């Protein structure tokens, strides 16, 4: 093989063209008015105990993290976000009265897989990471003070379903690998002769 760096560069270039996972950020700004119950399957997720509320005023302490719309909770515990398909939950932005402490309870198939440390809500919207990278199908936001708080910029990734058929981008990489093996074999054969 006369140009191993060229082959390596080609392999790296093909690898970079593979589809990369990107997070979905729901900021709820397509919803206007309210307070109104969340529509079914908004953003591909199901919502229990959430209402959306839109205003162009900051409305402290319930200011949105971005845009004009944010989610309000009911006054109880158990505000849930769920999906029939597994996803990874990165976190969300929260604001409310400083007396509130919230935590995430993450579930998969009905079993709790992670409970976050409690975090304090404040009057400035702050993004709070979930602290868990595994797959979940339900997020419960637990509220110790039983007061309203708001959530915005929910961030998650869909977990891709495993496929027995390789992706299209896999074939060029396999071809480059086979070409490199053939070139090495040819090189060995010419040295022996």
């Amino acid at each position: 093989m006369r140009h191993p760096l060229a082959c390596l560069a080609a392999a790296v270039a093909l690898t970079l063209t593979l589809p990369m996972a990107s997070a979905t950020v729901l900021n709820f700004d397509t919803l206007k008015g309210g307070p109104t119950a969340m529509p079914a399957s908004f953003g591909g997720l199901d919502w229990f105990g959430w209402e959306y509320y839109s205003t162009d005023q900051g409305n402290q302490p319930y200011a949105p993290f971005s845009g004009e719309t944010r989610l309000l909770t009911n006054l109880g515990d158990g505000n849930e976000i769920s999906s029939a398909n597994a996803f990874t939950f990165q976190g969300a932005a929260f604001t409310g009265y400083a007396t509130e402490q919230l935590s995430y309870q993450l579930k998969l198939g009905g079993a709790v897989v992670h409970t976050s440390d409690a975090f304090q809500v404040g009057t400035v919207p702050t993004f709070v990471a979930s602290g868990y990278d595994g797959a979940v199908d339900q997020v419960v936001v637990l509220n110790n003070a039983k007061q309203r708080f708001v959530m915005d910029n929910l961030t998650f990734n869909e977990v891709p379903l495993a496929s027995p058929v390789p992706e299209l981008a896999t074939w060029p990489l396999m071809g480059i690998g086979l070409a490199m093996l053939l070139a090495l074999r040819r090189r060995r054969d010419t040295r022996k002769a």
Side-chain angles (χ1 to χ4, degrees), residues 77-182:
D77 229 356
N79 299 286
E80 298 176 12
I81 304 150
S82 62
S83 175
N85 301 320
F87 59 96
T88 57
F89 173 67
Q90 278 75 41
F94 292 91
T95 187
Y97 289 103
T99 57
E100 297 173 81
Q101 280 196 334
L102 307 177
S103 60
Y104 299 125
Q105 187 179 69
L106 309 179
K107 299 180 179 182
L108 181 62
V112 176
V113 293
H114 177 73
T115 301
S116 73
D117 292 335
F119 53 90
Q120 194 75 35
V121 174
T123 57
V124 176
T126 305
F127 186 86
V128 180
S130 71
Y132 182 73
D133 293 330
V136 300
D137 57 15
Q138 184 180 25
V139 176
V140 180
V141 181
L142 302 172
N143 178 358
N144 74 333
K146 309 293 188 257
Q147 295 178 342
R148 283 190 180 261
F149 60 91
V150 298
M151 181 179 72
D152 200 1
N153 285 34
L154 180 107
T155 307
F156 69 99
N157 284 335
E158 294 180 12
V159 174
L161 300 174
S163 174
V165 179
E167 292 184 27
L168 229 42
T170 305
W171 295 110
L173 288 175
M174 284 177 46
I176 287 172
L178 288 173
M180 291 174 72
L181 289 173
L182 288 172

Side-chain angles (χ1 to χ4, degrees), residues 176-191:
I176 287 172
L178 288 173
M180 291 174 72
L181 289 173
L182 288 172
L184 285 173
R185 183 176 178 166
R186 179 179 273 180
R187 186 175 185 188
R188 284 186 195 157
D189 290 345
T190 57
R191 283 187 181 171

